[in-house]
Amino acid sequence: GIRITLLDTLYLSSGFGAQPQGVQVRFSDGSAEAWRERVEALRAALEGSPGACVGVAAHSVRAVPAAALDALRPFVADGTPFHIHLSEQVQENADCLAATGVTPTRLLADHGLLGPMTSAVHATHLTIDDIALLGGAGCFASFCPTTERDLGDGIGPSRQLLAAGARVTLGSDSHAIIDAFEEMRALELDERLATQARGHWSAAELLVAAGEDGQRSLGW
């Protein structure tokens, strides 16, 4: 009775304009067209399955050249769950600005990739305009507090995103800790650290983020 959402992930480069090297080569799809064919084959194989949902993902804007992002637009347009790591690190933002002249969030918006089934994973280092774009599109912001803590990535603006209209969800992204209650606890505690104030998330809101909205972000 366990349900699963399979997110086939597009990966084409190891950085802005950089070809995959070494062990990264095995992640590369070669082209957006080859990736799309695999997604369609997966959809066909699982059609009618009551326990499986097929979504799509892009690793990040640094792993998918801007010209290839358009391959994702039809999936976003038809309501397919779409996940992408977004502004996880300061360097990602700096590299994106240097390569494209815009933030990662603006780049996604310009390619029509922000929608009600888009999940911005991490969403850590956002500008005020980024927050407005994600909130205005009704996106999900998938925070992974224990992983972000483990990697030293930073603390994202969870309450600001919620106030702007985004729906905050919780994930793990790594095997550092696999504990939904720890992720819920960390969301509140990280806000306390960032703001030097207490009482940002109620228990009911945290349960929605970890449960109901998390399920919705996966197509259930």
Side-chain angles (χ1 to χ4, degrees):
I2 295 176
R3 298 179 298 184
I4 188 170
T5 296
L6 300 170
L7 301 172
D8 197 317
T9 304
L10 177 59
Y11 186 103
L12 297 173
S13 66
S14 61
F16 292 93
Q19 293 298 313
Q21 302 291 328
V23 295
Q24 294 174 329
V25 172
R26 74 181 191 274
F27 298 136
S28 177
D29 292 295
S31 69
E33 292 72 23
W35 167 81
R36 186 169 53 242
E37 290 175 3
R38 191 176 67 236
V39 172
E40 295 298 349
L42 184 60
R43 275 181 156 180
L46 294 174
E47 186 176 3
S49 172
C53 175
V54 177
V56 296
H59 177 273
S60 59
V61 294
R62 67 181 185 273
V64 180
L69 288 172
D70 291 335
L72 294 150
R73 188 185 300 132
F75 297 101
V76 175
D78 72 10
T80 298
F82 165 56
H83 290 221
I84 181 168
H85 287 198
L86 186 71
S87 291
E88 181 178 357
Q89 299 168 340
V90 172
Q91 190 63 50
E92 176 187 337
N93 286 358
D95 291 346
C96 188
L97 282 166
T100 68
V102 295
T103 66
T105 302
R106 170 55 70 179
L107 185 62
L108 294 185
D110 289 347
H111 285 269
L113 299 183
L114 298 185
M117 288 305 293
T118 296
S119 285
V121 182
H122 301 300
T124 305
H125 301 285
L126 303 176
T127 67
I128 296 300
D129 288 341
D130 291 341
I131 293 170
L133 285 170
L134 292 168
C139 297
F140 294 99
S142 181
F143 278 59
C144 306
T146 64
T147 293
E148 290 142 14
R149 179 175 65 202
D150 186 52
L151 297 178
D153 286 337
I155 299 171
S158 60
R159 285 306 307 195
Q160 289 177 266
L161 282 161
L162 190 72
R167 292 163 290 174
V168 175
T169 63
L170 291 166
S172 62
D173 189 52
S174 74
H175 295 295
I177 296 174
I178 302 296
D179 184 338
F181 287 98
E182 179 60 23
E183 303 296 346
M184 287 187 275
R185 186 179 300 112
L187 192 68
E188 165 65 23
L189 294 180
D190 284 356
E191 277 285 317
R192 294 184 184 191
L193 280 174
T195 64
Q196 300 179 52
R198 304 174 189 175
H200 299 277
W201 289 90
S202 70
E205 288 175 319
L206 290 172
L207 286 169
V208 169
E212 294 174 32
D213 281 348
Q215 289 290 290
R216 292 188 181 101
S217 74
L218 294 171
W220 296 104

